[in-house]
């Protein structure tokens, strides 16, 4: 049975852990608030741009622009976004599990991976997948440049026909408690039917469609990747905040249990000491 | 009164403006263009210039923009711009300062990219100054 000292030590240990989880929670909470604000601001622009490009893609002959052109998908690319750190609940595990299931479903096709975040790099790097890009410490200070970097590599691989279809796999931010693993095709661009007018005639373009797409598509890809990076980052911070909150809560419970045990043990010890003294004095009286 | 339609001006940082309007004038790459309700669907790129919107209540709002893209659908016009500011929000002093700085840069002999950047900055600053004068005549 544990001695009083053992229990005391364990309580101290749990308290230390709790200090760490509490600090992590605070840090995550601050970062989360900032990230949440950025994602909420970035979404309207990204979503509308998405729609506009989708409308144009729906309207145009897909062969007019190389990034709209659909090819038989034999080589599939996945951009998998995980975090650099753990301690954020099932955030990383969910992404990895879903991505792996998805890759397995691509039987017969070549699969190439672009990995963002240390967790994904570690996991997929060890398992014999073909990895064409590793990105670590991406989220330290997230900027538009990083979206550029990813955009370059996927656009090039698509145009050079090294990849026929490219998906993004990421956690979409819903709330601090909830993130949804999302798989989204980024190339070729998926057409969107404008829901406003079902009998829509053709779009007019000025100067012409191809010129507009030349300006629009790089921007569109950029904004989309930027948004997805922000989604993932915000989700990560939310997940960490929640996970650390739970951990802090749990250590509270453990401390309570241990304290109870400690007090019981102390009580028992005192009781037995008193008994000893009483029985000792009784014995003396008797003689 | 003309028929009204929805206008949205969205920048990467926010939904800047949303309203029912009768008419909007935009700085297209090939010159200014006007849009009314029921316009045929079309898409074009925008350049540095002024956005002028005639609201439902006949008020007029001015915005300075640095360019972007517009999608026109019969009942909604969406303007996606890099930056835009409503005329009343523009800081005149800052615009004047930016203009002065750009002019100074142009006067100095610098590399070609710097000159292009200075020219662009100058155009943006002059545009802001022009737009602000619409609401604050001297």
């Amino acid at each position: 049975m544990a001695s009083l000292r053992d229990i005391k030590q364990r309580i101290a240990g749990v308290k230390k852990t709790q200090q760490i989880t509490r600090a992590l929670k605070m840090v995550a909470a601050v970062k989360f608030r900032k990230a949440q604000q950025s994602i909420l601001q970035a979404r309207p622009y990204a979503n509308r741009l998405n729609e506009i490009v989708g409308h144009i893609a729906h309207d145009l002959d897909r062969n007019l622009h190389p990034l709209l052109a659909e090819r038989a998908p034999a080589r599939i690319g996945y951009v998998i976004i995980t975090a650099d750190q753990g301690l954020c609940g099932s955030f990383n595990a969910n992404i990895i599990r879903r991505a792996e299931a998805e890759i397995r479903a691509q039987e017969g096709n070549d699969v190439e991976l672009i990995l963002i975040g240390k967790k994904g790099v570690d996991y997929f790097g060890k398992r014999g997948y073909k990895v064409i890009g590793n990105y670590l410490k991406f989220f330290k200070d997230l900027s538009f440049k990083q979206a550029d970097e990813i955009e370059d590599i996927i656009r090039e691989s698509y145009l050079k026909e090294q990849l026929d279809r490219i998906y993004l796999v990421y956690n979409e931010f819903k709330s601090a408690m909830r993130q949804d693993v999302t798989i989204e095709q980024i190339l070729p661009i998926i057409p969107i039917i404008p829901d406003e007018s079902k009998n829509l005639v053709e779009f007019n373009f000025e100067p012409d469609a191809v010129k507009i797409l030349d300006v629009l598509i790089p921007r569109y890809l950029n904004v989309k990747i930027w948004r997805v990076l922000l989604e993932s980052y915000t989700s990560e911070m939310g997940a960490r905040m929640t996970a650390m909150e739970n951990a802090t809560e749990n250590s509270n419970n453990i401390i309570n249990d241990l304290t109870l045990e400690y007090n019981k043990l102390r009580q028992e010890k005192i009781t037995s000491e008193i008994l000893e003294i009483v029985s000792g004095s009784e014995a003396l009286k008797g003689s | 009164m003309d028929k009204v339609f929805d206008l949205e001006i969205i920048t990467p940082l926010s939904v800047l403006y949303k309203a029912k309007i009768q008419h909007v004038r935009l700085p297209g790459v090939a010159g200014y263009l006007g849009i009314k309700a029921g316009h045929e669907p079309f898409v074009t790129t925008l350049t540095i210039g002024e956005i002028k919107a005639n609201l439902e209540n006949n008020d007029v709002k001015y915005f300075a923009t640095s360019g972007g893209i517009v999608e026109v659908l019969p009942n909604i016009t969406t303007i996606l711009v890099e930056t835009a500011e409503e005329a009343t929000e523009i800081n005149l002093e800052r615009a004047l300062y930016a203009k002065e700085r750009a002019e100074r840069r142009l006067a100095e002999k610098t590399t070609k990219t710097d000159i292009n950047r200075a020219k662009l900055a100058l155009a943006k600053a002059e545009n802001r100054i022009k737009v602000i004068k619409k609401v604050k005549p001297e």
Side-chain angles (χ1 to χ4, degrees):
Chain A
M1 198 176 132
S3 75
L4 277 178
R5 237 181 68 200
D6 290 340
I7 298 177
K8 218 171 182 176
Q9 261 172 6
R10 272 195 67 197
I11 292 177
V14 174
K15 270 191 177 147
K16 278 210 178 101
T17 312
Q18 193 185 33
Q19 270 171 8
I20 296 171
T21 57
R22 192 175 284 143
L24 278 171
K25 184 192 112 189
M26 308 272 227
V27 173
V30 172
K31 289 185 179 168
F32 171 72
R33 261 193 294 277
K34 256 180 153 171
Q36 189 182 24
Q37 204 180 359
S38 337
I39 186 67
L40 293 181
Q41 282 170 340
R43 265 181 191 162
Y45 187 86
N47 291 345
R48 286 300 288 139
L49 191 59
N50 198 30
E51 272 170 43
I52 292 178
V53 172
H55 292 171
I56 298 176
H58 165 74
D59 192 61
L60 279 186
D61 178 3
R62 307 209 68 182
N63 296 318
L64 263 177
H65 200 280
L67 290 173
L68 299 179
E70 189 112 28
R71 297 192 289 261
R75 281 151 305 178
I76 317 282
Y78 287 98
V79 181
I80 302 172
I81 306 175
T82 54
D84 283 325
Q85 290 166 300
L87 295 178
C88 43
S90 55
F91 177 89
N92 291 309
N94 283 348
I95 279 282
I96 288 171
R97 197 183 319 125
R98 181 73 193 277
E100 221 170 24
E102 200 69 15
I103 293 167
R104 220 170 290 131
Q106 291 293 349
E107 236 179 299
N109 294 328
D110 281 346
V111 171
E112 296 182 11
L113 306 180
I114 296 164
L115 304 169
I116 300 173
K118 187 168 180 295
K119 292 288 163 180
V121 170
D122 286 352
Y123 185 89
F124 291 101
K126 279 183 207 142
R127 285 171 173 76
Y129 292 100
K130 190 170 174 201
V131 179
I132 52 173
N134 281 325
Y135 296 91
L136 298 172
K137 298 203 170 131
F138 220 53
F139 298 101
K140 242 186 167 168
D141 39 350
L142 201 54
S143 77
F144 231 76
K145 256 200 200 126
Q146 283 142 320
D148 254 351
E149 224 177 305
I150 302 295
E151 190 240 326
D152 270 351
I153 169 168
I154 64 172
R155 187 162 38 97
E156 285 302 305
S157 340
Y158 192 79
L159 289 176
K160 286 184 186 152
E161 309 204 357
Q162 287 156 348
L163 293 172
D164 302 313
R165 189 168 286 182
I166 301 167
Y167 294 96
L168 303 172
V169 188
Y170 66 98
N171 273 301
E172 188 177 42
F173 169 69
K174 292 285 175 202
S175 73
M177 319 287 262
R178 205 178 129 212
Q179 337 34 79
D180 289 353
V181 177
T182 307
I183 297 187
E184 200 173 312
Q185 181 178 326
I186 180 160
L187 280 175
I189 291 163
I190 301 177
I192 298 169
I193 301 167
D195 51 282
E196 189 196 322
S197 32
K198 271 147 200 104
N199 50 355
L200 189 71
V201 264
E202 292 184 341
F203 270 104
N204 280 318
F205 297 96
E206 231 187 88
D208 63 82
V210 176
K211 275 207 190 94
I212 287 184
L213 284 175
D214 279 343
V215 179
L216 207 54
I217 288 183
R219 177 118 207 101
Y220 157 85
L221 293 176
N222 250 323
V223 168
K224 185 164 205 155
I225 294 166
W226 167 244
R227 195 206 87 219
V228 165
L229 289 173
L230 271 180
E231 296 272 4
S232 176
Y233 181 70
T234 313
S235 301
E236 179 193 338
M237 288 307 145
R240 179 160 303 127
M241 193 171 86
T242 312
M244 289 301 109
E245 165 104 53
N246 288 341
T248 310
E249 187 77 5
N250 283 345
S251 38
N252 256 342
N253 291 342
I254 295 177
I255 289 171
N256 285 344
D257 288 353
L258 284 175
T259 312
L260 189 69
E261 201 181 322
Y262 177 84
N263 287 340
K264 262 190 194 157
L265 205 63
R266 200 176 56 117
Q267 203 84 54
E268 268 165 30
K269 216 172 155 192
I270 291 167
T271 316
S272 71
E273 263 168 28
I274 290 172
L275 272 179
E276 263 166 43
I277 292 166
V278 171
S279 58
S281 68
E282 286 289 313
L284 277 178
K285 245 187 235 166
S287 67
Chain B
M1 194 177 101
D2 285 328
K3 256 175 80 183
V4 293
F5 62 105
D6 289 309
L7 173 75
E8 278 180 14
I9 302 178
I10 303 174
T11 74
L13 289 179
S14 65
V15 179
L16 184 75
Y17 190 67
K18 218 172 166 174
K20 292 224 177 287
I21 60 161
Q22 301 179 45
H23 179 262
V24 63
R25 200 185 61 184
L26 303 167
V29 274
Y32 275 90
L33 51 111
I35 307 223
K36 285 189 168 189
H39 197 291
E40 64 179 341
F42 104 118
V43 175
T44 191
T45 42
L46 301 177
T47 177
I48 297 172
E50 166 200 300
I51 297 169
K52 179 187 172 200
N54 294 63
L55 311 187
E56 199 175 11
N57 59 7
N58 291 323
D59 276 359
V60 180
K61 274 201 188 289
Y62 295 93
F63 300 86
T65 180
S66 60
I69 176 163
V70 60
E71 182 196 47
V72 178
L73 292 173
N75 297 318
I76 180 162
T77 293
T78 309
I79 306 173
L80 295 183
V81 282
E82 297 305 298
T83 61
E85 292 141 326
E86 204 189 322
T88 49
E89 304 278 309
I90 298 174
N91 185 331
L92 182 63
E93 271 159 45
R94 248 178 61 192
L96 286 171
Y97 175 68
K99 187 184 169 206
E100 196 189 320
R101 196 178 44 192
E103 280 167 344
R104 213 169 42 234
R105 291 241 168 91
L106 280 176
E108 292 162 12
K109 282 194 177 120
T110 38
T111 59
K112 207 174 164 210
T113 50
D114 279 348
I115 287 191
N116 286 341
R117 262 180 40 202
K119 275 186 182 159
L120 205 64
L122 182 63
K124 283 182 192 169
E126 280 176 341
N127 178 49
R128 285 205 176 96
I129 294 164
K130 195 185 93 191
V131 172
I132 198 170
K133 285 192 175 145
K134 288 276 164 71
V135 287
K136 283 182 197 156
E138 282 153 300

